């Protein structure tokens, strides 16, 4: 499939017997704290299972001017050419570690300029947090308005690094998936967004005044949602609500739910990794980006 239809129907990746057992409303669970982000994924491992070489790429640490300070970041792109399509990569709550850097290199091998800013740097060093709770506390102190400015600054930096100003997308994992939703309701330049198991419900706050369910009418680009049926922190029911609100608002939302997959199923450095679902989701993501003009 080289291109998705202009108005794609919702996609179900649930086998018929399992769908009948789940019912239309799916599981009932709670969304709160860090549960929807990383707790369901288990402890962090020492290294990634997948390691993408940097040969033939320009890849490494970068510094991104962002208002009051420079953001640490990681960028990977092809070594030749220019005007590469740009993909913003939004990290989990665990900071800018090797897994996120490898995701950037994987995208670069597909012809993208992929850049992951460490936008939690003002709140603390998430990569050095001693446990999930400490990492979640750092992420929880990030205001949305500051996040949007940081992502705007990252896009401006990518343009100066040879990236295309017209072919721009955003992807994110866990809390980064939630940030995909939020930024897609903010920036009209985006051509596509891909939310890997990003929570859509939860409790709003002064720092994050809206949850994705409240943003449907403002979403400015097609969204691909990649979720796990066994994610204990993101109930299928909340995804159905998001699907309904996006449809009612006339927005393009392709929802994919992988049977038996837990939260963090793409994170190959954690026990939550599910190779089949991770690889299928990656292929679909690349098709979605290309189908929406980000190639």
């Amino acid at each position: 499939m080289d291109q998705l239809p202009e108005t794609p129907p919702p996609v179900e990746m649930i086998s018929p017997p399992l769908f009948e057992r789940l019912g239309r409303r799916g599981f009932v669970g709670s969304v709160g704290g860090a549960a929807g982000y990383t707790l369901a994924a288990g402890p962090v491992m020492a290294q990634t299972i997948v390691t993408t070489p940097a040969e033939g790429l320009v890849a490494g640490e970068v510094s991104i001017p962002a208002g009051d300070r420079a953001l640490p970041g990681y960028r990977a792109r092809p070594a030749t050419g220019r005007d590469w399509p740009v993909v913003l990569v939004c990290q989990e709550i665990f900071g800018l570690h090797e897994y996120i850097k490898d995701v950037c290199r994987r995208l670069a091998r597909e012809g993208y300029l992929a850049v992951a800013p460490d936008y939690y740097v003002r709140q603390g060093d998430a990569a050095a947090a001693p446990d999930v709770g400490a990492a979640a506390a750092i992420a929880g102190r990030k205001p949305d308005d500051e996040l949007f400015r940081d992502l705007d600054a990252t896009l401006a930096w990518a343009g100066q690094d040879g990236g295309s100003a017209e072919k721009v997308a955003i992807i994110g994992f866990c809390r980064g998936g939630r940030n995909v939703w939020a930024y897609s309701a903010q920036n009209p330049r985006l051509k596509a967004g891909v939310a890997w198991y990003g929570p859509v419900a939860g409790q709003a706050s002064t720092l994050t005044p809206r949850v994705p369910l409240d943003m449907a009418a403002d979403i400015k680009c097609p969204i691909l949602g990649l979720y796990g049926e066994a994610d204990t922190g993101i109930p299928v029911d909340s995804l159905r609500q998001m699907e309904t609100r996006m449809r009612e608002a006339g927005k393009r939302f392709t929802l994919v739910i992988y049977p038996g997959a837990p939260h963090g199923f793409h994170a190959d450095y954690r026990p939550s990794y599910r190779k089949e679902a991770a690889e299928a989701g990656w292929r679909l993501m690349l098709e979605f980006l290309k189908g929406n003009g980000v190639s």
Side-chain angles (χ1 to χ4, degrees), residues 50-70:
V50 178
T51 301
T52 304
E55 284 79 13
L57 305 176
V58 174
E61 311 289 339
V62 295
S63 180
I64 301 167
D68 62 324
R69 64 163 301 153

Side-chain angles (χ1 to χ4, degrees), residues 1 26 32 51 110 125 131 150 181 183 245 256 265 275 279 281:
M1 179 170 62
T51 301
E110 298 291 337
D125 184 357
D131 53 42
D150 287 346
W181 283 106
Y183 196 54
R245 293 193 186 186
V256 182
F265 63 83
K275 184 175 186 293
E279 291 180 351

Side-chain angles (χ1 to χ4, degrees), residues 215-229:
M215 302 174 187
D218 297 322
I219 297 295
K220 304 182 189 322
C221 66
I223 301 290
L224 171 64
L226 301 170
Y227 289 86
E229 166 258 329

Side-chain angles (χ1 to χ4, degrees), residues 207-274:
L207 298 180
T208 55
R210 294 197 299 171
V211 300
L213 278 169
D214 301 326
M215 302 174 187
D218 297 322
I219 297 295
K220 304 182 189 322
C221 66
I223 301 290
L224 171 64
L226 301 170
Y227 289 86
E229 166 258 329
D231 190 328
T232 58
I234 305 179
V236 170
D237 182 56
S238 70
L239 301 175
R240 296 293 178 223
Q241 292 179 49
M242 193 76 220
E243 182 181 48
T244 297
R245 293 193 186 186
M246 289 286 281
R247 183 185 297 115
E248 290 174 347
K251 308 297 182 178
R252 292 182 58 195
F253 177 32
T254 302
L255 173 63
V256 182
I257 301 174
Y258 290 100
H263 189 80
F265 63 83
H266 188 271
D268 54 58
Y269 69 103
R270 298 207 297 264
S272 59
Y273 178 59
R274 298 295 184 269

Side-chain angles (χ1 to χ4, degrees), residues 2-3 83-88 107 110-114 155 163-171 189-194 221-222 252 284-295:
D2 294 327
Q3 185 169 358
D83 291 325
W84 304 283
V86 175
V87 178
L88 292 175
L107 285 165
E110 298 291 337
Y112 293 99
L113 188 163
L155 278 182
S164 169
E166 304 299 325
K167 300 177 179 180
V168 179
I170 184 170
I171 73 169
R189 289 180 55 195
L190 294 174
K191 300 293 187 184
V194 182
C221 66
R252 292 182 58 195
L284 187 57
M285 179 188 72
L286 294 177
E287 292 170 358
F288 188 78
L289 295 178
K290 292 176 182 177
N292 285 289
V294 189
S295 63

Side-chain angles (χ1 to χ4, degrees), residues 47-48 50-54 57-62 72-77 87-92 94-109 112-118 125 127 171 173 266-269 282:
Q47 60 186 8
T48 58
V50 178
T51 301
T52 304
L57 305 176
V58 174
E61 311 289 339
V62 295
Y74 187 88
R75 178 264 284 115
R77 60 169 172 80
V87 178
L88 292 175
V89 179
C90 292
Q91 64 203 38
E92 311 152 306
F94 295 130
L96 187 56
H97 53 61
E98 184 54 37
Y99 163 66
I100 297 299
K101 296 174 183 179
D102 201 87
V103 166
C104 290
R105 293 195 296 273
R106 296 174 210 181
L107 285 165
R109 293 212 165 275
Y112 293 99
L113 188 163
V115 55
D118 187 1
D125 184 357
I171 73 169
F173 305 86
H266 188 271
D268 54 58
Y269 69 103
W282 186 264

